[in-house]
Amino acid sequence: MTENGKEVRVWCDGCYDMVHFGHANSLRQAKALGDYLVVGVHTDEEITKHKGPPVFMEQERYKMVRGIKWVDEVVEGAPYVTTLETLDKYNCDFCVHGDDITMTADGIDTYHLVKAAGRYREVQRTAGVSTTDLVGRMLLMTRQHFKQGDSEYSVDREPSKSMGQDRTARSPWTGCSQFLPTTQKIIQFSDGKSPQPGDKVVYVAGAFDLFHVGHLDFLEVAKKEGDYLIVGLHTDPVVNRYKCGNHPIMNLHERVLSVLACKYVNEVVIGAPYEVTKDLMEHFDVSIVCHGQTPIMPCEDGLDPYSEPKRQNKFKLLDSGNDMTTEKIVERIILHSA
Ligand code: CTP
Ligand code: C5P
């Protein structure tokens, strides 16, 4: 609010291709500068014209930005160069962008107009993550391991067990992440609210690697099963055991922030056990455990990870209505860069 009690409306815009926690962190900082956050997302056509075709289509990108908890409104098809007319049309006081320069195809700063009018603010870009970096991680792993003419991207990895015994070991799965996680970042992303008395607690668990529209749609339906949604995230070696190959692409810390940025999520368990145990269900007072339509991989001992909630009659299969998977994203990237 301003001194005269007027709501401060903030404008952000961008491509938001392969939305990641760096985007979410810029929107978090932007929202903190005002009361209401409007985010303009460019069309596929505009992006193709200025920096080449995006990996995700506009409908997917609009939906992903709408899923971020600091976003109040999304403007579809926002112009690439931010104009004062656009800010005025949406009643926004100023525009916020990360501290990197964005150019049009003609080399013009896309924010020159709002900068000249004094209606531009800058926030700190999140170091160590970008769409380009994520694409690079996927290509790196596939270039090294992709067998030409064969749809298999897998690679023989050291068994995950050897990791814990060797203190000099680097994670073979996430060694290329440059992001430095801090507890402060987790606090900033977390909503810090506990379930209220009587709240129905929903628990889901998974990898949630490269957080995508399939995850978002799944979490939306999962949230509808109760009042408070807890997402359990498995550690990198656990994910690698059942997803095999080169997964996960994002390390646990990065996956935590991606999931925390989602508006349907109330709490995250960092390094949740693969098996949903009685202790875990009691500890969080879980009313219902859900899983989507993707296959349920067995535990290391071959057992069903959901046998306890099933025994308690507290298990439900949900349909996200979306068939996106992390593997499909990797395939898209390969096609895209071919
Ligand atoms: N952003 C950020 N930190 C990052 C990546 C992006 O703060 N690590 C911010 C940008 O500064 C911008 C907003 O996210 O304010 C939207 O960015 P976008 O237009 O999608 O473009 P890029 O900056 O190109 O994002 P990326 O490099 O990930 O493609
Ligand atoms: O594969 P991952 O462990 O990341 O999936 C987490 C949860 O999201 C699982 O319950 C999975 O079934 C669900 N999901 C979904 N629809 C998708 C992708 C994942 O319901 N398209």
Side-chain angles (χ1 to χ4, degrees), residues 62-71 216 261-264:
Y62 299 153
K63 190 187 246 184
M64 285 301 284
V65 176
R66 274 196 187 97
I68 295 177
K69 66 182 175 193
W70 299 285
V71 176
L216 183 63
C262 172
K263 66 180 177 188
Y264 305 115

Side-chain angles (χ1 to χ4, degrees), residues 11-16 37-47 57-67 71-80 86 89-90:
W11 171 271
C12 283
D13 54 24
C15 308
Y16 301 97
L37 177 61
V38 185
V39 185
V41 182
H42 312 312
T43 58
D44 296 343
E45 196 186 339
E46 276 278 276
I47 299 173
M57 286 170 286
E58 55 207 29
Q59 292 306 331
E60 295 170 314
R61 294 183 291 105
Y62 299 153
K63 190 187 246 184
M64 285 301 284
V65 176
R66 274 196 187 97
V71 176
D72 296 298
E73 189 179 327
V74 164
V75 171
E76 301 183 357
Y80 209 76
T86 310
K89 183 172 172 193
Y90 296 96

Side-chain angles (χ1 to χ4, degrees), residues 13-16 20 22-23 26 51 97-98 100 125-126 129-131:
D13 54 24
C15 308
Y16 301 97
H20 51 69
H23 293 130
S26 73
K51 65 179 221 185
H97 185 256
D100 54 317
R125 210 177 139 86
T126 307
V129 65
S130 67
T131 303

Side-chain angles (χ1 to χ4, degrees), residues 97-325:
H97 185 256
D99 49 357
D100 54 317
I101 298 269
T102 315
M103 302 277 194
T104 64
D106 309 321
I108 296 165
D109 178 353
T110 52
Y111 296 106
H112 73 281
L113 298 169
V114 286
K115 280 180 182 171
R119 290 171 74 181
Y120 176 82
R121 308 272 185 284
E122 220 156 64
V123 292
Q124 214 180 358
R125 210 177 139 86
T126 307
V129 65
S130 67
T131 303
T132 319
D133 165 73
L134 292 172
V135 168
R137 289 190 208 181
M138 285 181 257
L139 288 180
L140 187 72
M141 77 181 199
T142 53
R143 206 182 310 129
Q144 282 170 355
H145 313 297
F146 182 60
K147 295 180 195 142
Q148 214 72 40
D150 181 341
S151 61
E152 196 203 333
Y153 317 127
S154 6
V155 53
D156 287 327
R157 297 264 186 204
E158 306 162 33
S160 54
K161 282 203 191 79
S162 66
M163 289 265 307
Q165 289 152 16
D166 178 5
R167 69 183 171 78
T168 60
R170 265 166 66 103
S171 164
W173 306 286
T174 54
C176 46
S177 167
Q178 299 293 314
F179 174 66
L180 290 173
T182 60
T183 50
Q184 197 197 8
K185 191 101 290 99
I186 295 180
I187 292 166
Q188 287 166 342
F189 270 56
S190 159
D191 74 1
K193 292 192 195 93
S194 308
Q196 297 305 299
D199 272 0
K200 188 175 175 191
V201 175
V202 184
Y203 180 78
V204 299
F208 293 89
D209 192 18
L210 288 177
F211 194 82
H212 53 67
V213 277
H215 291 134
L216 183 63
D217 284 341
F218 169 68
L219 295 177
E220 182 178 9
V221 289
K223 180 62 178 268
K224 288 189 180 135
E225 293 296 318
D227 311 294
Y228 192 92
L229 177 61
I230 304 181
V231 180
L233 292 183
H234 306 311
T235 62
D236 302 337
V238 168
V239 173
N240 183 257
R241 179 191 67 78
Y242 73 92
K243 292 249 179 189
C244 304
N246 311 284
H247 298 275
I249 290 156
M250 278 188 163
N251 69 30
L252 178 61
H253 303 293
E254 296 176 303
R255 291 182 285 118
V256 166
L257 295 182
S258 308
V259 172
L260 277 177
C262 172
K263 66 180 177 188
Y264 305 115
V265 176
N266 298 102
E267 182 61 296
V268 164
V269 181
I270 307 173
Y274 191 67
E275 184 185 1
V276 181
T277 59
K278 190 162 176 271
D279 281 354
L280 183 141
M281 290 182 67
E282 273 172 16
H283 182 83
F284 292 109
D285 193 18
V286 176
S287 298
I288 184 109
V289 177
C290 303
H291 189 93
Q293 299 293 312
T294 58
I296 298 173
M297 303 303 282
C299 299
E300 218 164 358
D301 56 11
L303 296 179
D304 177 356
Y306 295 116
S307 53
E308 179 60 27
K310 282 178 183 169
R311 193 187 61 76
Q312 293 186 28
N313 219 0
K314 290 183 177 171
F315 179 76
K316 191 166 176 186
L317 274 181
L318 301 177
D319 188 355
S320 66
N322 193 318
D323 63 359
M324 179 60 77
T325 61

